[in-house]
Structure formats: structure tokens, C-alpha cells
Amino acid sequence: MPIRLTPDATFADRLRGADRTLYGIWSCAGSALVAEICAGSGLDILLIDGEHSPVGLESILAQLQAAAAYPVVPVVRAPIGDPVLLKQLLDLGAQNVLVPMVSSVEDAEATVRAVRYPPLGVRGVGSALARSSRWSRIPDYLARAHELVSLTVQIETVEGLAAAAGIAAVEGVDALLVGPADLAASLGLLGQQDHPDVVAAVESVIRAGRAAGTPVGVNAFDPAMAARYAEAGAAYVLVGSDVTLLARASEGLATRFIGDGSAGPAPASY
């Protein structure tokens, strides 16, 4: 007799049940082993990056499998909000997806439809073939799928900033993530994530999300900025990545044992 499985709590569930700010790390190396190390760190969120990292579907699957043994909640960032790509990520078992560059209410509504089966959306049906339903071992998966998937959309353009309140209010958008790096670039402040105008913009999205009852998170690799955004009401903060930790730690070894280089300090934030 086949095993009947209960799906894990979604990212939305974890945010609703949290009594503090949640903290997470990006998995960008494309290594299931590194993802597993990060998953066991004690952080709350493992964000597997499919946008700026050299990963494909097989790598994302392996990272999800590696993280499954740990209490961390895995979130997978798609490279784009394309319905076909989102279908593939959902089918391989990504319960929690993040879509970048959502800049309007229409973008958000289309993304919600992409992660839901008809009649609620346009997600293609192949659950019997897919890890998402554990090959039909999750009872009533098709009928319940919209409850078992969590959608986060990323605000990182001037247009998205202007539409943040409307995006936060879209039914089916479970959380927002502000990307200060792209937002700074869109504001004409490339590389200046700590510029007062960028910080004010991030905090305005946090306020818009809170007004709509939608959790808002932010990238903040600088501990001081992470603390500031948590104090401002961010529901979660992404405070580092596997590759930047390795880069800075290896540079620290070189500085300690060889001496200071001439390149200058590396940026503290993503």
C-alpha cells in the first residue's frame, strides 16, 4: 500500500506563525552539498537562486532534496515569471517560489495565475508525473495545490515601488521581497543600496505590505542594515549567501597569512 504524505508547511505558513523576524541565506553555488550545509545552519530560510546563479532544474531538485532533512524552509527564485518555467519548478517540488521583477498589479496577477491550476490559473497539469504531488501520494493534491504553494514576488524597480501597495493587495501574493540592488539601479543609484533614498524606498514597501497584511522581506547583507529593516517591520531578512561568505572568508585568510591586497574592501551588501 503506498505511503500517504503530508506536505510541509509553506513559506506563507511560516511567516504567519512567526513571532519574530525570520532570517535567511541565499544558496547560489549550485551545490547540493553546500545547500545542505546552509540548511543545517539554524537560519530560517534557504533561498535557492535560479536567477543569478549557474543552476538548472536538476541542481534545484538536488538542493531541495538536500534541504528536506532540515527544519529550514526552502524558497526557489525563478529567473523570470514565465508560466512554463514556474510549472517546471512547481512540478519538481518547489512549494515556495519567488518571482523577480514584478512591477505592476497586472504582473502580480499573471504570476498568481501561473502557479495555480485551472480554473484558478493556467498551471499545466502533470501532477501524477511529478515530485510536487509525490507522484500522487499527497491526497487530493490537485484540489489543494493552491493551498500548498506559496508565492513571493520581488519589488525592485521604480514602477514596482509605485505599485507596491496594489501588488501587496493581490489575492494569491503571499509575501513581497524588496531587492535593494536592482531598486537602487532603477532609482539611478547603481551600487548604492545604503543611499538614503533607497533605504526610504525599501521602508515604504515594508509599510505598504504591513498595511495590506502582506509580509515584506528584504536583502540586507550588511548587519546594520539588516537590523534597521527588521526594526522597520520586515517580516524576514536575507542576510548573506554561500558564495559571498566563502569569498569574504577566503579573502580574510589571504589577508591574515599573506598581507593586505590592493583591491580595497569588497562591498558588504548584495
Side-chain angles (χ1 to χ4, degrees):
M1 184 174 182
I3 296 171
R4 294 296 179 226
L5 300 174
T6 301
D8 294 332
T10 66
F11 185 38
D13 294 330
R14 291 284 294 271
L15 288 168
R16 279 193 293 267
D19 57 3
R20 60 169 176 81
T21 303
L22 301 183
Y23 293 93
I25 187 169
W26 289 90
S27 178
C28 302
S31 164
L33 178 63
V34 173
E36 184 173 5
I37 293 169
C38 294
S41 66
L43 289 165
D44 302 296
I45 305 159
L46 180 71
L47 216 156
I48 300 167
D49 185 26
E51 183 185 15
H52 292 297
S53 302
V55 303
L57 296 177
E58 291 84 354
S59 173
I60 292 171
L61 172 60
Q63 292 180 68
L64 288 171
Q65 291 170 325
Y70 300 87
V72 71
V73 59
V75 180
V76 176
R77 179 161 70 173
I80 189 173
D82 178 80
V84 174
L85 288 174
L86 289 170
K87 172 181 63 179
Q88 290 180 300
L89 292 174
L90 293 170
D91 281 353
L92 64 78
Q95 272 186 275
N96 311 296
V97 291
L98 167 65
V99 174
M101 294 291 180
V102 172
S103 296
S104 69
V105 168
E106 292 75 19
D107 286 349
E109 291 172 340
T111 304
V112 171
R113 290 193 297 273
V115 302
R116 292 183 168 186
Y117 289 128
L120 301 176
V122 297
R123 177 182 173 188
V125 181
S127 61
L129 310 175
R131 182 173 178 267
S132 57
S133 73
R134 297 307 188 270
W135 305 278
S136 299
R137 290 171 181 160
I138 294 176
D140 302 320
Y141 178 81
L142 286 175
R144 301 167 55 209
H146 63 286
E147 301 170 356
L148 306 179
V149 169
S150 172
L151 173 64
T152 301
V153 300
Q154 199 159 356
I155 305 294
E156 46 191 344
T157 64
V158 170
E159 295 79 9
L161 181 64
I167 292 169
V170 171
E171 193 277 328
V173 170
D174 296 301
L176 307 181
L177 174 65
V178 189
D182 276 304
L183 185 55
S186 186
L187 288 166
L189 298 165
L190 181 65
Q192 301 180 60
Q193 292 92 310
D194 58 352
H195 190 283
D197 291 350
V198 178
V199 175
V202 172
E203 292 179 341
S204 75
V205 178
I206 294 173
R207 289 193 298 272
R210 288 170 65 87
T214 301
V216 178
V218 61
N219 280 321
F221 289 9
D222 179 344
M225 292 308 303
R228 174 168 180 163
Y229 289 136
E231 181 66 24
Y236 64 103
V237 185
L238 303 170
V239 292
S241 75
D242 52 1
V243 292
T244 55
L245 288 172
L246 180 59
R248 301 296 85 81
S250 59
E251 290 159 3
L253 289 174
T255 298
R256 177 173 180 177
F257 292 104
I258 299 173
D260 290 336
S262 59
S269 187
Y270 163 27

Short mmCIF file of all heavy atoms in Angstrom, two decimals, residues 35-98:
data_model
loop_
_atom_site.label_atom_id
_atom_site.label_comp_id
_atom_site.label_asym_id
_atom_site.label_seq_id
_atom_site.Cartn_x
_atom_site.Cartn_y
_atom_site.Cartn_z
N ALA A 35 24.29 23.59 -0.15
CA ALA A 35 22.92 23.89 0.27
C ALA A 35 22.58 23.16 1.56
O ALA A 35 21.93 23.71 2.45
CB ALA A 35 21.94 23.52 -0.83
N GLU A 36 23.03 21.92 1.68
CA GLU A 36 22.74 21.15 2.89
C GLU A 36 23.47 21.74 4.10
O GLU A 36 22.92 21.81 5.20
CB GLU A 36 23.14 19.68 2.72
CG GLU A 36 22.77 18.84 3.93
CD GLU A 36 23.00 17.36 3.73
OE1 GLU A 36 23.53 16.96 2.68
OE2 GLU A 36 22.64 16.59 4.65
N ILE A 37 24.70 22.19 3.90
CA ILE A 37 25.43 22.85 4.98
C ILE A 37 24.67 24.08 5.46
O ILE A 37 24.47 24.30 6.66
CB ILE A 37 26.85 23.22 4.53
CG1 ILE A 37 27.69 21.96 4.29
CG2 ILE A 37 27.53 24.11 5.57
CD1 ILE A 37 29.01 22.22 3.60
N CYS A 38 24.21 24.89 4.50
CA CYS A 38 23.45 26.09 4.86
C CYS A 38 22.11 25.74 5.50
O CYS A 38 21.65 26.42 6.43
CB CYS A 38 23.23 26.95 3.62
SG CYS A 38 24.75 27.67 2.94
N ALA A 39 21.48 24.68 5.03
CA ALA A 39 20.18 24.27 5.56
C ALA A 39 20.27 23.89 7.03
O ALA A 39 19.31 24.06 7.79
CB ALA A 39 19.61 23.11 4.75
N GLY A 40 21.42 23.38 7.45
CA GLY A 40 21.62 22.98 8.84
C GLY A 40 22.23 24.06 9.71
O GLY A 40 22.62 23.78 10.85
N SER A 41 22.28 25.29 9.21
CA SER A 41 22.95 26.37 9.93
C SER A 41 22.16 26.89 11.13
O SER A 41 22.72 27.52 12.02
CB SER A 41 23.22 27.54 8.98
OG SER A 41 21.98 28.12 8.56
N GLY A 42 20.86 26.66 11.12
CA GLY A 42 19.99 27.25 12.13
C GLY A 42 19.23 28.46 11.64
O GLY A 42 18.36 28.98 12.35
N LEU A 43 19.54 28.93 10.42
CA LEU A 43 18.76 30.01 9.82
C LEU A 43 17.37 29.49 9.42
O LEU A 43 17.16 28.28 9.30
CB LEU A 43 19.49 30.58 8.61
CG LEU A 43 20.74 31.40 8.94
CD1 LEU A 43 21.58 31.62 7.69
CD2 LEU A 43 20.37 32.75 9.57
N ASP A 44 16.45 30.39 9.21
CA ASP A 44 15.05 30.01 8.97
C ASP A 44 14.76 29.68 7.51
O ASP A 44 13.88 28.86 7.23
CB ASP A 44 14.12 31.17 9.38
CG ASP A 44 14.28 31.57 10.83
OD1 ASP A 44 13.99 30.74 11.71
OD2 ASP A 44 14.71 32.72 11.08
N ILE A 45 15.46 30.36 6.58
CA ILE A 45 15.10 30.31 5.16
C ILE A 45 16.33 29.96 4.34
O ILE A 45 17.42 30.52 4.56
CB ILE A 45 14.57 31.68 4.68
CG1 ILE A 45 13.40 32.14 5.55
CG2 ILE A 45 14.16 31.63 3.21
CD1 ILE A 45 13.17 33.65 5.48
N LEU A 46 16.17 29.05 3.38
CA LEU A 46 17.19 28.76 2.38
C LEU A 46 16.62 29.19 1.04
O LEU A 46 15.68 28.57 0.53
CB LEU A 46 17.53 27.27 2.36
CG LEU A 46 18.60 26.86 1.33
CD1 LEU A 46 19.98 27.37 1.76
CD2 LEU A 46 18.62 25.36 1.13
N LEU A 47 17.19 30.23 0.45
CA LEU A 47 16.66 30.75 -0.80
C LEU A 47 17.55 30.29 -1.96
O LEU A 47 18.68 30.75 -2.10
CB LEU A 47 16.55 32.27 -0.76
CG LEU A 47 15.32 32.78 -1.51
CD1 LEU A 47 14.87 34.13 -1.02
CD2 LEU A 47 15.54 32.77 -2.99
N ILE A 48 17.05 29.34 -2.72
CA ILE A 48 17.80 28.74 -3.83
C ILE A 48 17.61 29.63 -5.05
O ILE A 48 16.49 29.83 -5.53
CB ILE A 48 17.29 27.31 -4.09
CG1 ILE A 48 17.49 26.45 -2.83
CG2 ILE A 48 18.00 26.70 -5.29
CD1 ILE A 48 16.74 25.13 -2.87
N ASP A 49 18.71 30.16 -5.56
CA ASP A 49 18.62 31.19 -6.59
C ASP A 49 18.75 30.62 -7.99
O ASP A 49 19.80 30.11 -8.37
CB ASP A 49 19.70 32.24 -6.36
CG ASP A 49 19.55 33.40 -7.33
OD1 ASP A 49 18.42 33.63 -7.79
OD2 ASP A 49 20.55 34.07 -7.64
N GLY A 50 17.69 30.77 -8.77
CA GLY A 50 17.72 30.37 -10.16
C GLY A 50 17.84 31.54 -11.12
O GLY A 50 17.76 31.34 -12.34
N GLU A 51 18.06 32.75 -10.59
CA GLU A 51 18.14 33.93 -11.46
C GLU A 51 19.58 34.33 -11.74
O GLU A 51 19.98 34.51 -12.89
CB GLU A 51 17.40 35.11 -10.84
CG GLU A 51 17.40 36.35 -11.74
CD GLU A 51 16.79 37.58 -11.12
OE1 GLU A 51 16.60 37.61 -9.88
OE2 GLU A 51 16.50 38.53 -11.87
N HIS A 52 20.37 34.49 -10.70
CA HIS A 52 21.74 34.97 -10.87
C HIS A 52 22.78 33.88 -10.60
O HIS A 52 23.96 34.20 -10.43
CB HIS A 52 22.00 36.16 -9.94
CG HIS A 52 21.24 37.40 -10.30
ND1 HIS A 52 21.43 38.07 -11.49
CD2 HIS A 52 20.28 38.08 -9.63
CE1 HIS A 52 20.63 39.11 -11.54
NE2 HIS A 52 19.91 39.15 -10.42
N SER A 53 22.37 32.65 -10.56
CA SER A 53 23.28 31.55 -10.21
C SER A 53 23.32 30.52 -11.34
O SER A 53 22.36 30.39 -12.11
CB SER A 53 22.81 30.88 -8.92
OG SER A 53 22.76 31.81 -7.87
N PRO A 54 24.40 29.74 -11.41
CA PRO A 54 24.56 28.77 -12.51
C PRO A 54 23.84 27.46 -12.21
O PRO A 54 24.46 26.40 -12.08
CB PRO A 54 26.08 28.57 -12.56
CG PRO A 54 26.51 28.73 -11.14
CD PRO A 54 25.61 29.78 -10.56
N VAL A 55 22.52 27.52 -12.06
CA VAL A 55 21.75 26.33 -11.68
C VAL A 55 20.68 26.05 -12.72
O VAL A 55 20.15 26.95 -13.37
CB VAL A 55 21.11 26.46 -10.29
CG1 VAL A 55 22.17 26.74 -9.22
CG2 VAL A 55 20.05 27.54 -10.26
N GLY A 56 20.36 24.77 -12.87
CA GLY A 56 19.26 24.33 -13.69
C GLY A 56 18.29 23.52 -12.87
O GLY A 56 18.41 23.44 -11.63
N LEU A 57 17.33 22.90 -13.52
CA LEU A 57 16.29 22.16 -12.80
C LEU A 57 16.87 21.03 -11.96
O LEU A 57 16.44 20.81 -10.81
CB LEU A 57 15.26 21.62 -13.78
CG LEU A 57 14.45 22.66 -14.56
CD1 LEU A 57 13.53 21.97 -15.56
CD2 LEU A 57 13.66 23.56 -13.62
N GLU A 58 17.84 20.29 -12.51
CA GLU A 58 18.40 19.16 -11.77
C GLU A 58 19.11 19.64 -10.51
O GLU A 58 19.00 19.01 -9.45
CB GLU A 58 19.36 18.36 -12.64
CG GLU A 58 18.70 17.61 -13.78
CD GLU A 58 18.48 18.48 -15.03
OE1 GLU A 58 18.75 19.71 -14.98
OE2 GLU A 58 18.04 17.92 -16.04
N SER A 59 19.82 20.76 -10.60
CA SER A 59 20.51 21.30 -9.42
C SER A 59 19.50 21.77 -8.38
O SER A 59 19.69 21.53 -7.17
CB SER A 59 21.41 22.46 -9.83
OG SER A 59 21.96 23.09 -8.70
N ILE A 60 18.45 22.44 -8.80
CA ILE A 60 17.43 22.90 -7.86
C ILE A 60 16.78 21.70 -7.16
O ILE A 60 16.58 21.71 -5.94
CB ILE A 60 16.39 23.77 -8.57
CG1 ILE A 60 17.04 25.09 -9.01
CG2 ILE A 60 15.18 24.04 -7.67
CD1 ILE A 60 16.17 25.94 -9.91
N LEU A 61 16.47 20.67 -7.91
CA LEU A 61 15.90 19.46 -7.34
C LEU A 61 16.83 18.88 -6.28
O LEU A 61 16.40 18.54 -5.16
CB LEU A 61 15.63 18.43 -8.43
CG LEU A 61 15.21 17.03 -7.97
CD1 LEU A 61 13.93 17.08 -7.14
CD2 LEU A 61 15.05 16.11 -9.17
N ALA A 62 18.11 18.75 -6.61
CA ALA A 62 19.07 18.17 -5.67
C ALA A 62 19.18 19.02 -4.40
O ALA A 62 19.29 18.48 -3.28
CB ALA A 62 20.44 18.04 -6.33
N GLN A 63 19.12 20.34 -4.55
CA GLN A 63 19.19 21.21 -3.38
C GLN A 63 17.94 21.08 -2.52
O GLN A 63 18.02 21.08 -1.27
CB GLN A 63 19.40 22.65 -3.82
CG GLN A 63 20.78 22.89 -4.43
CD GLN A 63 20.98 24.32 -4.86
OE1 GLN A 63 21.06 25.22 -4.01
NE2 GLN A 63 21.03 24.56 -6.15
N LEU A 64 16.79 20.97 -3.14
CA LEU A 64 15.56 20.76 -2.37
C LEU A 64 15.61 19.43 -1.62
O LEU A 64 15.19 19.35 -0.45
CB LEU A 64 14.35 20.78 -3.30
CG LEU A 64 13.96 22.14 -3.86
CD1 LEU A 64 12.88 21.98 -4.94
CD2 LEU A 64 13.46 23.08 -2.76
N GLN A 65 16.10 18.41 -2.26
CA GLN A 65 16.21 17.11 -1.60
C GLN A 65 17.19 17.17 -0.43
O GLN A 65 16.95 16.58 0.63
CB GLN A 65 16.64 16.04 -2.61
CG GLN A 65 15.56 15.72 -3.64
CD GLN A 65 16.05 14.85 -4.78
OE1 GLN A 65 17.19 14.97 -5.20
NE2 GLN A 65 15.17 13.99 -5.28
N ALA A 66 18.31 17.89 -0.62
CA ALA A 66 19.29 18.01 0.46
C ALA A 66 18.73 18.78 1.65
O ALA A 66 19.03 18.45 2.81
CB ALA A 66 20.54 18.70 -0.07
N ALA A 67 17.93 19.80 1.37
CA ALA A 67 17.39 20.63 2.44
C ALA A 67 16.22 19.97 3.17
O ALA A 67 15.87 20.39 4.28
CB ALA A 67 16.94 21.97 1.88
N ALA A 68 15.62 18.94 2.56
CA ALA A 68 14.39 18.37 3.10
C ALA A 68 14.56 17.76 4.48
O ALA A 68 13.59 17.63 5.24
CB ALA A 68 13.84 17.32 2.13
N ALA A 69 15.77 17.39 4.84
CA ALA A 69 16.01 16.76 6.14
C ALA A 69 16.10 17.78 7.28
O ALA A 69 16.23 17.38 8.44
CB ALA A 69 17.31 15.95 6.08
N TYR A 70 16.01 19.07 6.97
CA TYR A 70 16.25 20.11 7.96
C TYR A 70 15.01 20.98 8.14
O TYR A 70 14.17 21.06 7.25
CB TYR A 70 17.44 20.97 7.52
CG TYR A 70 18.71 20.16 7.39
CD1 TYR A 70 19.02 19.50 6.20
CD2 TYR A 70 19.57 20.00 8.47
CE1 TYR A 70 20.16 18.72 6.09
CE2 TYR A 70 20.73 19.23 8.36
CZ TYR A 70 21.01 18.60 7.17
OH TYR A 70 22.14 17.82 7.07
N PRO A 71 14.89 21.67 9.28
CA PRO A 71 13.69 22.48 9.53
C PRO A 71 13.65 23.80 8.77
O PRO A 71 12.68 24.54 8.89
CB PRO A 71 13.74 22.72 11.05
CG PRO A 71 15.18 22.60 11.42
CD PRO A 71 15.74 21.55 10.49
N VAL A 72 14.66 24.11 7.99
CA VAL A 72 14.68 25.32 7.18
C VAL A 72 13.57 25.28 6.13
O VAL A 72 13.18 24.19 5.68
CB VAL A 72 16.06 25.47 6.50
CG1 VAL A 72 16.25 24.43 5.41
CG2 VAL A 72 16.29 26.86 5.98
N VAL A 73 13.02 26.44 5.77
CA VAL A 73 12.03 26.48 4.70
C VAL A 73 12.74 26.88 3.41
O VAL A 73 13.35 27.94 3.33
CB VAL A 73 10.86 27.43 5.03
CG1 VAL A 73 11.31 28.85 5.27
CG2 VAL A 73 9.80 27.39 3.93
N PRO A 74 12.69 26.04 2.37
CA PRO A 74 13.34 26.38 1.10
C PRO A 74 12.41 27.19 0.20
O PRO A 74 11.22 26.88 0.06
CB PRO A 74 13.64 25.01 0.48
CG PRO A 74 12.57 24.12 1.03
CD PRO A 74 12.16 24.67 2.37
N VAL A 75 12.98 28.23 -0.40
CA VAL A 75 12.28 29.06 -1.37
C VAL A 75 13.12 29.05 -2.64
O VAL A 75 14.35 29.19 -2.56
CB VAL A 75 12.08 30.50 -0.86
CG1 VAL A 75 11.34 31.34 -1.89
CG2 VAL A 75 11.36 30.51 0.48
N VAL A 76 12.49 28.92 -3.79
CA VAL A 76 13.22 28.87 -5.06
C VAL A 76 12.90 30.12 -5.88
O VAL A 76 11.72 30.39 -6.15
CB VAL A 76 12.87 27.61 -5.87
CG1 VAL A 76 13.57 27.63 -7.22
CG2 VAL A 76 13.25 26.35 -5.10
N ARG A 77 13.95 30.86 -6.26
CA ARG A 77 13.73 32.02 -7.13
C ARG A 77 13.83 31.59 -8.58
O ARG A 77 14.85 31.06 -9.02
CB ARG A 77 14.73 33.14 -6.85
CG ARG A 77 14.51 34.34 -7.80
CD ARG A 77 15.13 35.61 -7.31
NE ARG A 77 16.58 35.63 -7.35
CZ ARG A 77 17.32 36.71 -7.09
NH1 ARG A 77 16.72 37.85 -6.76
NH2 ARG A 77 18.63 36.65 -7.13
N ALA A 78 12.76 31.84 -9.32
CA ALA A 78 12.75 31.62 -10.76
C ALA A 78 13.54 32.72 -11.45
O ALA A 78 13.65 33.83 -10.93
CB ALA A 78 11.31 31.60 -11.28
N PRO A 79 14.08 32.46 -12.64
CA PRO A 79 14.77 33.53 -13.36
C PRO A 79 13.82 34.58 -13.92
O PRO A 79 14.22 35.72 -14.16
CB PRO A 79 15.50 32.79 -14.48
CG PRO A 79 14.74 31.53 -14.67
CD PRO A 79 14.21 31.16 -13.32
N ILE A 80 12.57 34.18 -14.11
CA ILE A 80 11.56 35.06 -14.71
C ILE A 80 10.20 34.45 -14.41
O ILE A 80 10.09 33.25 -14.14
CB ILE A 80 11.79 35.18 -16.25
CG1 ILE A 80 10.91 36.24 -16.86
CG2 ILE A 80 11.58 33.83 -16.93
CD1 ILE A 80 11.22 36.52 -18.34
N GLY A 81 9.16 35.27 -14.46
CA GLY A 81 7.83 34.78 -14.14
C GLY A 81 7.14 34.09 -15.30
O GLY A 81 5.93 34.24 -15.48
N ASP A 82 7.87 33.31 -16.07
CA ASP A 82 7.30 32.60 -17.21
C ASP A 82 6.48 31.41 -16.73
O ASP A 82 6.97 30.60 -15.93
CB ASP A 82 8.44 32.12 -18.12
CG ASP A 82 7.92 31.34 -19.31
OD1 ASP A 82 7.47 31.98 -20.27
OD2 ASP A 82 7.96 30.09 -19.27
N PRO A 83 5.25 31.23 -17.21
CA PRO A 83 4.42 30.13 -16.72
C PRO A 83 5.03 28.75 -16.94
O PRO A 83 4.83 27.85 -16.11
CB PRO A 83 3.12 30.29 -17.52
CG PRO A 83 3.06 31.73 -17.87
CD PRO A 83 4.50 32.14 -18.10
N VAL A 84 5.78 28.56 -18.03
CA VAL A 84 6.38 27.25 -18.28
C VAL A 84 7.48 26.96 -17.26
O VAL A 84 7.56 25.87 -16.70
CB VAL A 84 6.94 27.16 -19.72
CG1 VAL A 84 7.69 25.87 -19.93
CG2 VAL A 84 5.80 27.29 -20.73
N LEU A 85 8.33 27.95 -17.01
CA LEU A 85 9.39 27.76 -16.02
C LEU A 85 8.81 27.55 -14.63
O LEU A 85 9.28 26.69 -13.87
CB LEU A 85 10.32 28.97 -16.02
CG LEU A 85 11.24 29.11 -17.22
CD1 LEU A 85 11.99 30.43 -17.15
CD2 LEU A 85 12.23 27.96 -17.29
N LEU A 86 7.79 28.31 -14.28
CA LEU A 86 7.17 28.14 -12.97
C LEU A 86 6.52 26.77 -12.84
O LEU A 86 6.61 26.13 -11.78
CB LEU A 86 6.16 29.25 -12.72
CG LEU A 86 6.76 30.63 -12.47
CD1 LEU A 86 5.68 31.70 -12.46
CD2 LEU A 86 7.54 30.65 -11.16
N LYS A 87 5.90 26.30 -13.90
CA LYS A 87 5.32 24.95 -13.89
C LYS A 87 6.40 23.91 -13.61
O LYS A 87 6.20 22.99 -12.80
CB LYS A 87 4.66 24.67 -15.24
CG LYS A 87 4.19 23.22 -15.42
CD LYS A 87 3.56 23.02 -16.79
CE LYS A 87 4.55 23.26 -17.92
NZ LYS A 87 3.92 23.04 -19.25
N GLN A 88 7.56 24.04 -14.25
CA GLN A 88 8.63 23.09 -14.05
C GLN A 88 9.15 23.12 -12.62
O GLN A 88 9.39 22.07 -12.00
CB GLN A 88 9.78 23.36 -15.03
CG GLN A 88 9.43 23.04 -16.47
CD GLN A 88 10.59 23.34 -17.41
OE1 GLN A 88 11.05 24.48 -17.50
NE2 GLN A 88 11.05 22.33 -18.12
N LEU A 89 9.32 24.33 -12.07
CA LEU A 89 9.79 24.43 -10.68
C LEU A 89 8.78 23.85 -9.71
O LEU A 89 9.14 23.12 -8.77
CB LEU A 89 10.06 25.90 -10.34
CG LEU A 89 11.24 26.55 -11.05
CD1 LEU A 89 11.30 28.03 -10.72
CD2 LEU A 89 12.55 25.86 -10.70
N LEU A 90 7.51 24.14 -9.92
CA LEU A 90 6.48 23.59 -9.04
C LEU A 90 6.43 22.07 -9.15
O LEU A 90 6.33 21.37 -8.13
CB LEU A 90 5.12 24.19 -9.38
CG LEU A 90 4.96 25.69 -9.10
CD1 LEU A 90 3.67 26.21 -9.71
CD2 LEU A 90 5.01 25.98 -7.61
N ASP A 91 6.50 21.55 -10.37
CA ASP A 91 6.41 20.11 -10.55
C ASP A 91 7.59 19.37 -9.91
O ASP A 91 7.42 18.24 -9.42
CB ASP A 91 6.32 19.75 -12.04
CG ASP A 91 4.92 19.95 -12.61
OD1 ASP A 91 3.99 20.24 -11.83
OD2 ASP A 91 4.76 19.83 -13.83
N LEU A 92 8.77 19.98 -9.90
CA LEU A 92 9.90 19.27 -9.29
C LEU A 92 9.89 19.36 -7.77
O LEU A 92 10.75 18.80 -7.10
CB LEU A 92 11.24 19.74 -9.87
CG LEU A 92 11.71 21.17 -9.69
CD1 LEU A 92 12.28 21.43 -8.30
CD2 LEU A 92 12.78 21.50 -10.74
N GLY A 93 8.89 20.06 -7.22
CA GLY A 93 8.70 20.03 -5.78
C GLY A 93 8.99 21.32 -5.05
O GLY A 93 9.05 21.33 -3.81
N ALA A 94 9.16 22.42 -5.77
CA ALA A 94 9.33 23.71 -5.11
C ALA A 94 7.96 24.18 -4.63
O ALA A 94 7.13 24.60 -5.43
CB ALA A 94 9.94 24.72 -6.07
N GLN A 95 7.72 24.10 -3.34
CA GLN A 95 6.45 24.59 -2.79
C GLN A 95 6.41 26.10 -2.72
O GLN A 95 5.32 26.70 -2.77
CB GLN A 95 6.26 24.06 -1.36
CG GLN A 95 5.59 22.72 -1.25
CD GLN A 95 5.32 22.39 0.21
OE1 GLN A 95 6.19 21.87 0.89
NE2 GLN A 95 4.13 22.69 0.67
N ASN A 96 7.58 26.71 -2.56
CA ASN A 96 7.67 28.14 -2.31
C ASN A 96 8.49 28.77 -3.43
O ASN A 96 9.67 28.47 -3.57
CB ASN A 96 8.33 28.39 -0.96
CG ASN A 96 7.71 27.56 0.14
OD1 ASN A 96 6.54 27.73 0.45
ND2 ASN A 96 8.48 26.64 0.70
N VAL A 97 7.87 29.62 -4.23
CA VAL A 97 8.58 30.22 -5.35
C VAL A 97 8.61 31.73 -5.20
O VAL A 97 7.67 32.35 -4.68
CB VAL A 97 7.95 29.83 -6.71
CG1 VAL A 97 8.19 28.35 -6.99
CG2 VAL A 97 6.46 30.15 -6.76
N LEU A 98 9.71 32.29 -5.68
CA LEU A 98 9.93 33.73 -5.70
C LEU A 98 10.10 34.16 -7.14
O LEU A 98 10.90 33.56 -7.87
CB LEU A 98 11.19 34.08 -4.89
CG LEU A 98 11.77 35.49 -5.05
CD1 LEU A 98 10.80 36.53 -4.51
CD2 LEU A 98 13.11 35.59 -4.32
#
